[in-house]
Amino acid sequence: MSNAVNGAGRRRGPRRKRSLAGPRSIALFVLAGLLTGCSDPSRAPTPDGGDTADAWVAVPTDEVDVLFVLNNSPNSSDALVGVWTNVPGFVGRMFSGDFDGDGAPDAVTARSVHIGVTTTDLGPPRVPGDTYCVTETGDDGRLVTSDSLDCLSSPNIVAFQPSADRADVVIADIVCNATVRYGCAYQQPLDAALKALSPAPGPDGLSPVAWTADRWVPPLFRGGTFGHGGPEGASHGFVREESVLVIILLSGEDDCSSPERALYDDRDPTFSARGGPRCLAYGDALFSIERYIDGLGGLRRRPERIVFAGIVGIPPSRDGSVDYDGILADPDMATQFDELGAALPVPVCHSPSFVWALPARRIVETARGLDALGAQVVLYSVCDGSYLRAFDAVAAAVGAALAGGP
């Protein structure tokens, strides 16, 4: 394994057909219920006006950049519906200014918000006959848009000002982008997030942008490529220098990011000796967790401006917990083996909507490391019947990060 590829930070297949009434109708239906009886979203607090002027205080930042990293494997449709139905409430918090959910605008609110979507598909090798895994690079950590007929005008960076823009239009664009195509079964949410956000290095090998940690070294990805976040990258302009950076992972499988291309090719015998799914059987072939602690943590000069949220494979009884050792020690989080020593894909949980999930040990370990750096962390189970509580917790964490505190 190349140290250059493994190190970091230190220092399309066919889309699922949907009716024209799909994503936008869901967004508008939920938005109507969200705003009933709530503050007028057009009257979010501003420094110089409105009924909330007395509550305005000097803020460390008033910008928020949110990246959704969505599992788009063929068995992910039920979880994605949970995203579509709860994104309106989450974005509505940006418009109302009520991040903590107490029914009143917070003293510190967001003046400007960017929201983008990418997927966990980084494109394992093309396999003849595979309906969804049809490119070498998948979505490659790029911010995606939908090609549904009613979504063609949606930009890949949904940028808005809560005090000036219409909530229904913004939410419809975001839900459109979250209507992702199906992709490869091997899920790589951690590397997808890192590639979407990190810049390519400058001539000195260090980050060329002002918003990363001092002397931060951008990571290298498979194929000798770099991330999309810098001046020449596909995501340029998404991350601002002083923003709160929010990374929301939604996946029913653990991270399987690896520098080894052969790991994803079932025809390649290199990773066939051990029984069971390759991502479980060959954990030593995956990128180290330090790559993501250093890499994602290095995306901000001040780690307290990072919110890392996982709606992933943990027991629902652990929702909202930051007892990382306790989560990892939970018997349901253990990797199980058969009598021949082959790793077994035993779900950690199931949901009433038939969502099931494998233990997200690597994502929990990454969350623990980012928390230690000062980032705010939110962990909820992807098996929950609704993601309302998870998105409420993320909104509260965003509000706290805007105010500059835990």
Side-chain angles (χ1 to χ4, degrees):
M1 185 182 301
S2 166
N3 289 332
V5 176
N6 192 44
R10 237 185 279 264
R11 7 122 194 115
R12 271 192 202 249
R15 294 181 184 267
R16 183 180 182 183
K17 293 183 179 179
R18 302 188 185 278
S19 69
L20 297 184
R24 286 187 182 271
S25 295
I26 292 173
L28 295 175
F29 176 80
V30 177
L31 178 64
L34 168 75
L35 296 180
T36 300
C38 295
S39 301
D40 180 350
S42 68
R43 295 179 64 188
T46 59
D48 59 351
D51 299 332
T52 57
D54 292 341
W56 186 270
V57 295
V59 297
T61 184
D62 57 4
E63 297 176 333
V64 181
D65 301 327
V66 184
L67 176 70
F68 285 92
V69 183
L70 303 181
N71 180 342
N72 65 331
S73 63
N75 64 356
S76 64
S77 58
D78 291 320
L80 290 174
V81 169
V83 174
W84 303 337
T85 54
N86 286 286
V87 159
F90 174 69
V91 177
R93 295 288 182 89
M94 308 286 180
F95 277 89
S96 70
D98 179 18
F99 288 97
D100 59 11
D102 66 356
D106 294 3
V108 179
T109 61
R111 176 187 57 82
S112 174
V113 183
H114 287 176
I115 296 183
V117 175
T118 192
T119 75
T120 56
D121 179 9
L122 292 184
R126 288 192 64 175
V127 178
D130 191 316
T131 306
Y132 304 111
C133 197
V134 297
T135 69
E136 287 289 331
T137 60
D139 288 318
D140 195 41
R142 296 175 183 270
L143 302 182
V144 299
T145 58
S146 172
D147 58 7
S148 296
L149 292 180
D150 62 340
C151 293
L152 295 180
S153 63
S154 300
N156 66 343
I157 298 176
V158 181
F160 60 96
Q161 295 183 351
S163 64
D165 292 309
R166 286 179 49 185
D168 59 337
V169 174
V170 168
I171 291 172
D173 282 339
I174 296 166
V175 175
C176 274
N177 291 347
T179 310
V180 294
R181 66 179 180 182
Y182 286 157
C184 296
Y186 287 102
Q187 302 303 302
Q188 302 167 68
L190 293 175
D191 234 36
L194 191 59
K195 190 161 193 181
L197 298 170
S198 61
D204 60 357
L206 302 178
S207 170
V209 298
W211 40 264
T212 54
D214 185 48
R215 301 192 63 78
W216 185 75
V217 180
L220 186 65
F221 296 87
R222 277 199 316 274
T225 60
F226 291 100
H228 302 302
E232 306 300 323
S235 305
H236 176 56
F238 177 68
V239 179
R240 274 83 59 83
E241 184 173 348
E242 299 297 337
S243 67
V244 170
L245 177 60
V246 186
I247 303 166
I248 303 175
L249 309 184
L250 184 134
S251 180
E253 302 170 41
D254 200 5
D255 176 70
C256 189
S257 300
S258 171
E260 303 292 345
R261 183 179 182 278
L263 181 71
Y264 307 115
D265 189 346
D266 293 338
R267 302 164 299 175
D268 192 308
T270 305
F271 294 98
S272 299
R274 304 174 192 171
R278 292 185 173 197
C279 297
L280 292 176
Y282 288 92
D284 53 347
L286 305 182
F287 281 120
S288 71
I289 295 301
E290 286 70 24
R291 170 180 173 88
Y292 304 107
I293 297 171
D294 295 335
L296 297 175
L299 292 172
R300 299 279 77 177
R301 295 196 305 270
R302 299 172 54 190
E304 64 269 23
R305 286 191 177 168
I306 297 172
V307 176
F308 180 81
I311 305 175
V312 294
I314 65 172
S317 61
R318 300 281 180 174
D319 278 352
S321 173
V322 289
D323 176 12
Y324 309 106
D325 292 341
I327 296 173
L328 293 169
D330 191 299
D332 290 333
M333 291 289 291
T335 301
Q336 300 186 35
F337 300 87
D338 66 17
E339 63 277 7
L340 299 178
L344 298 174
V346 178
V348 65
C349 58
H350 295 81
S351 81
S353 60
F354 304 105
V355 172
W356 59 270
L358 298 178
R361 297 189 61 87
R362 285 171 55 82
I363 295 173
V364 174
E365 290 169 1
T366 300
R368 177 172 58 185
L370 291 172
D371 190 333
L373 292 179
Q376 301 201 52
V377 170
V378 175
L379 291 176
Y380 274 75
S381 176
V382 72
C383 293
D384 289 341
S386 167
Y387 300 147
L388 177 62
R389 292 191 304 139
F391 279 100
D392 282 352
V394 176
V398 172
L402 282 170

